[in-house]
Amino acid sequence: MKRTLLAVATAMALTVAAPLAARDRGDCLDDACNTQALYENEAAGAGTAGDVIEAKRLGRWGIDTDGMDTSVKPGADFFGYVNGNWAKNTPIPADRSSYGGFAVLRDLSEARVRKLVESYPAADPASGDDQAKVAALYRGFMDEAAIESIGTKPLKPRLDAIRAAKDKAAIAELMGRANSGFGRSFFAAGVSDDQRDPDRYTLYLSQSGLGLGDRQMYLDEKFAPQRERYQAYIAQMLGLAGWGKPAERAAEILALETKIAEAHWTRAESRDRDKTYNPATLAELEKNAPGFPWKTYFKAAGVDHAERAVLRQNTAFPKLASIFAGADLDTLKAWQAFHTVDQAAPLLPKAFVDAEFEFRSKFLSGQPEQRERWKRGVAFAENAMGEAIGRDYVQLYFPADSKAKMDALVANVKEAMRARLNGLEWMGPETRKEALAKLDGFGLKIGYPEKWRDYSGLNVVAGDVFGNAERAAQFEWDYDRARIGKNVDKGEWGMTPQTVNAYYSSVKNEIVFPAAILQPPFFDPQADPAVNYGAIGGVIGHEIIHGFDDQGRKSDGAGVLRDWWTKDDATKFEAQAAKLGAQYEAYEFPQLPGMRINGKVAMGENIGDLGGVTIALEAYRRSLDGKPAPVLDGFTGDQRLFMGWAQVWRTLWRDDALRQQLVNGTHSPGQIRAFAPLRNVDAWYDAFGITKGDPLWVAPEDRVRIW
């Protein structure tokens, strides 16, 4: 999962893979669904009333034609054709490791949130007023002088508790507490809708324990430089914290995490829903994964009331428990100390902040400069009280007509999906009936939740940045764990309104579109309908298709994980999916020799893109009601739709960031998403006159046809 630069509330979630978080984000449109990575948009100006910051429109009818490079043949490089001049003339901001359409809107959202947060009056947060609490969170983080003067005092009791651990049971207790504060565990706990009983919350456990993310980073020889630098970083952090023998302990920690990596499932295995639902009682865990004090861990985590837990990577658990049992106590202490300091670093004095940035952002992702303090402060406040800010955000930035137009778009795309299902030649009637029933059961959330989160139980103290982070994490964990075994809140959202993203939840069988994504380049009420269908229509289609991708198809219309496919239809589907995966794995990245897209890991997203643009085209043509599409500046309706799709995926990468995306991300890079699915859409070839001699040509018989 992605790492934010701050906010312990987010840091606590890093070890928890979907669908563990209670506010399950399901299958997101963009990997940033795991972060609140918002940035300033310098191009955005103040609104006419001075109270709002307006979104920037693209071109006269929705396409930035100045950003195109029409000297490039569409069949040679469609990303370059639609986005070439933009790519040539757009620098990646110094505080970014990548930049593109999503980032522009995150710039805008962050600028808007900053204006809101800085407008909140300074008042005693003990009053219980949400604005006073948010203001205290933000201003406390912004007070660098106070943080410097306090120094490492907030760390001391946490590190003292680790030093005082007399045995491994005490380490397991610290691991359990890490769910609601600083620290880490070999096992990540989370609460979410039960995949077999979606009306109830259940406890999930997954593999964890790696500071570098994916197991490949430890086991693949080409990542030796990353491992060497990681070991130096561990030593640096332990040294800053005053931990004894930092260099020696760093070597031991890397060796320990390498053993953990060897026990971990691969990312492809970890997303296979047929294999990742494995209920076990505490007694069964103690029997099947001996060597780890499960009872101590459960009690410390506050989940000992759970009747059982669903294990995601179940065969990894005995191995991880054995590694824990065989590890040296001092090594485990140093490991826990390092991860505590690593997570807390953004809230500590500058020496810690700089060290964390130099490794996590600059070295691993190639980001030249640290983000400005206010940007990190906005993220800190949002991670603690995102929906409180969202209430004010939507009053300024989500007009009622946007929701109405989105309702109409979704309805039309949904009907296009129905038409596709009814017309599929490869699907038999038994499976088709179930698929149509699932489509009928699709839920829809647009803009913001009907019921807002209650933050009255969150204690915010002015000036106590470290304590506020811990209390926010504890507040979230207490909220989640108290719901184990209880009825699911069907109205809950997995994202705040100001988040630039969208998602599909398999357990709720619903698609969700926060307010912040419903702006150019994704959605512009004044733009040409073809562009909107290619952009937000493709996004809507993408999220609908997640209910029918290689993993989403395993749940039915009620969100229940069960096999509703005939064997013959499943075989046909899997054959087409394998062809699609092979297409994506064939793409090369010359700047990163040997790096490829993992077709199995990105499969759901790639299927979502292909199906999304396909049903968006169907929906657009249906919207014309038999009338010919107008031609605008020489571009046909179909051309504008495909251009709208490609414009959404404008993306620039620093090499190190692209490497991290290919290793740890679940989505194909944006510049690939701009054209890769279109190579399987016959209408794209017709629209741009693409022929056999063009580099992007795929023979009709080799084109993937799923949805």
Side-chain angles (χ1 to χ4, degrees):
M1 305 228 359
K2 279 205 173 179
R3 177 184 177 85
T4 58
L5 297 184
L6 44 54
V8 71
T10 298
M12 297 309 106
L14 293 176
T15 57
V16 185
L20 299 187
R23 283 149 301 287
D24 175 30
R25 295 164 176 123
D27 294 294
C28 302
L29 181 66
D30 179 67
D31 273 322
C33 64
N34 295 319
T35 71
Q36 287 288 339
L38 307 176
Y39 299 83
E40 177 184 355
N41 177 14
E42 296 177 358
T48 55
D51 294 328
V52 298
I53 300 176
E54 299 289 351
K56 182 180 178 181
R57 300 191 64 227
L58 296 175
R60 291 187 305 107
W61 37 269
I63 293 292
D64 174 20
T65 52
D66 290 338
M68 298 178 65
D69 184 353
T70 53
S71 68
V72 175
K73 290 185 64 178
D77 177 5
F78 194 65
F79 176 86
Y81 173 73
V82 176
N83 302 307
N85 284 338
W86 171 85
K88 293 174 189 174
N89 299 318
T90 302
I92 301 176
D95 66 350
R96 290 292 188 85
S97 58
S98 63
Y99 193 65
F102 281 92
V104 168
L105 282 193
R106 289 180 189 126
D107 286 347
L108 176 62
S109 185
E110 185 176 61
R112 289 170 166 178
V113 170
R114 180 192 190 186
K115 190 163 189 175
L116 273 172
V117 170
E118 292 186 347
S119 74
Y120 293 160
D124 183 0
S127 68
D129 178 76
D130 281 354
Q131 290 191 358
K133 289 182 179 181
V134 171
L137 288 165
Y138 177 73
R139 289 169 185 171
F141 185 88
M142 294 299 292
D143 192 348
E144 289 184 85
I147 292 172
E148 290 293 332
S149 67
I150 295 171
T152 59
K153 288 180 183 177
L155 263 183
K156 188 176 185 304
R158 285 78 184 172
L159 297 182
D160 285 349
I162 298 171
R163 288 189 178 98
K166 296 180 179 179
D167 52 29
K168 291 178 183 177
I171 296 294
E173 183 176 350
L174 291 170
M175 288 183 172
R177 292 179 187 172
N179 288 285
S180 57
F182 295 101
R184 197 149 202 172
S185 171
F186 285 17
F187 308 95
V191 180
S192 189
D193 314 24
D194 192 316
Q195 292 172 296
R196 299 278 189 196
D197 182 10
D199 292 330
R200 298 278 180 179
Y201 290 111
T202 197
L203 175 67
Y204 287 83
L205 291 176
S206 69
Q207 65 189 21
S208 187
L210 300 180
L212 278 177
D214 189 72
R215 67 195 300 270
Q216 276 192 75
M217 298 294 289
Y218 297 84
L219 307 179
D220 194 319
E221 184 55 36
K222 64 174 169 282
F223 298 119
Q226 283 75 17
R227 292 192 292 274
E228 181 180 356
R229 181 66 179 83
Y230 179 49
Q231 182 173 326
Y233 172 66
I234 296 171
Q236 181 184 19
M237 282 304 208
L238 290 176
L240 285 172
W243 198 267
K245 302 179 181 179
E248 180 181 334
R249 296 305 181 209
E252 294 170 356
I253 289 169
L254 180 59
L256 175 65
E257 291 194 7
T258 301
K259 291 180 181 178
I260 294 172
E262 290 169 346
H264 271 207
W265 287 17
T266 66
R267 285 188 300 152
E269 291 169 330
S270 292
R271 66 178 297 272
D272 188 340
R273 299 180 71 209
D274 288 333
K275 298 178 180 178
T276 54
Y277 189 92
N278 306 286
T281 64
L282 176 58
E284 289 170 333
L285 262 173
E286 291 178 320
K287 177 183 177 182
N288 298 326
F292 185 78
W294 289 106
K295 191 172 295 183
T296 299
Y297 173 83
F298 271 56
K299 184 176 180 180
V303 296
D304 46 333
H305 61 291
E307 294 182 0
R308 43 73 146 169
V310 175
L311 314 184
R312 295 191 70 243
Q313 302 90 355
N314 62 326
T315 59
F317 278 50
K319 299 175 184 177
L320 293 171
S322 177
I323 292 169
F324 178 87
D328 178 75
L329 179 60
D330 285 338
T331 301
L332 289 172
K333 287 183 179 183
W335 177 86
Q336 189 64 260
F338 161 68
H339 284 292
T340 297
V341 178
D342 183 38
Q343 291 174 359
L347 309 175
L348 293 170
K350 189 174 185 296
F352 291 86
V353 174
D354 289 349
E356 195 264 358
F357 164 75
E358 288 289 330
F359 175 69
R360 294 285 179 195
S361 299
K362 190 171 185 178
F363 177 77
L364 286 182
S365 296
Q367 181 179 317
E369 296 179 6
Q370 175 69 282
R371 299 169 67 210
E372 291 182 70
R373 188 81 188 180
W374 74 262
K375 298 179 180 182
R376 291 174 278 150
V378 164
F380 179 70
E382 281 206 285
N383 278 302
M385 296 184 66
E387 280 198 21
I389 299 170
R391 275 199 313 267
D392 295 333
Y393 178 93
V394 296
Q395 290 186 20
L396 291 173
Y397 297 112
F398 191 64
D401 68 323
S402 290
K403 187 177 190 307
K405 290 177 179 177
M406 273 294 292
D407 282 335
L409 267 170
V410 172
N412 203 11
V413 174
K414 189 174 176 181
E415 285 308 304
M417 180 63 180
R418 187 183 308 281
R420 298 290 301 182
L421 286 172
N422 281 319
L424 287 178
E425 295 181 359
W426 61 266
M427 180 176 280
E430 186 178 339
T431 307
R432 190 191 321 276
K433 181 180 178 181
E434 289 270 13
L436 289 168
K438 181 167 188 176
L439 183 65
D440 287 336
F442 257 67
L444 172 65
K445 292 174 180 173
I446 296 175
Y448 56 90
E450 293 182 4
K451 181 182 177 182
W452 296 99
R453 183 73 181 277
D454 178 7
Y455 291 99
S456 61
L458 174 60
N459 180 29
V460 175
V461 178
D464 186 11
V465 180
F466 205 91
N468 286 337
E470 275 197 318
R471 286 186 291 273
Q474 184 73 60
F475 176 76
E476 289 296 322
W477 181 239
D478 287 347
Y479 182 77
D480 287 347
R481 67 185 183 84
R483 306 198 297 179
I484 296 172
K486 295 183 179 178
N487 291 335
V488 166
D489 179 358
K490 300 292 187 179
E492 191 173 47
W493 279 52
M495 291 178 178
T496 65
Q498 62 271 30
T499 301
V500 182
N501 221 314
Y503 69 93
Y504 167 75
S505 171
S506 60
V507 280
K508 290 185 175 70
N509 193 32
E510 67 180 9
I511 51 178
V512 183
F513 301 91
I517 199 173
L518 303 179
Q519 307 171 93
F522 293 93
F523 177 62
D524 180 355
Q526 302 177 58
D528 166 53
V531 176
N532 274 335
Y533 271 99
I536 198 65
V539 169
I540 294 167
H542 173 103
E543 300 305 338
I544 288 176
I545 291 297
H546 268 314
F548 302 91
D549 68 21
D550 66 313
Q551 299 303 315
R553 74 182 185 88
K554 295 175 180 178
S555 292
D556 63 18
V560 178
L561 181 62
R562 70 174 180 89
D563 187 2
W564 48 269
W565 288 64
T566 65
K567 185 176 180 180
D568 184 52
D569 288 340
T571 299
K572 292 175 182 176
F573 175 95
E574 289 164 1
Q576 289 296 305
K579 283 178 62 177
L580 187 66
Q583 282 186 7
Y584 280 82
E585 290 182 344
Y587 297 123
E588 297 182 352
F589 302 90
Q591 69 274 46
L592 299 173
M595 296 297 299
R596 298 290 179 107
I597 294 168
N598 187 323
K600 291 182 179 178
V601 171
M603 181 66 74
E605 302 301 332
N606 295 337
I607 291 174
D609 284 351
L610 173 56
V613 74
T614 300
I615 61 175
L617 176 64
E618 175 99 16
Y620 170 62
R621 289 177 170 177
R622 289 166 61 88
S623 75
L624 295 172
D625 200 23
K627 300 175 183 177
V631 175
L632 300 179
D633 292 343
F635 296 104
T636 68
D638 282 7
Q639 286 178 329
R640 298 194 303 277
L641 182 140
F642 293 124
M643 289 159 61
W645 171 264
Q647 183 173 256
V648 160
W649 301 111
R650 286 179 164 183
T651 314
L652 300 171
W653 296 91
R654 301 191 193 279
D655 290 351
D656 291 320
L658 180 57
R659 182 187 293 108
Q660 287 295 303
Q661 176 66 20
L662 293 171
V663 173
N664 288 308
T666 58
H667 298 73
S668 297
Q671 71 273 27
I672 302 296
R673 300 176 76 174
F675 71 86
L678 306 183
R679 299 180 70 202
N680 298 290
V681 181
D682 296 342
W684 177 67
Y685 291 84
D686 297 336
F688 292 97
I690 295 167
T691 60
K692 189 174 182 179
D694 290 316
L696 295 181
W697 167 270
V698 174
E701 64 271 19
D702 294 327
R703 294 171 195 168
V704 177
R705 307 178 192 279
I706 304 178
W707 300 113

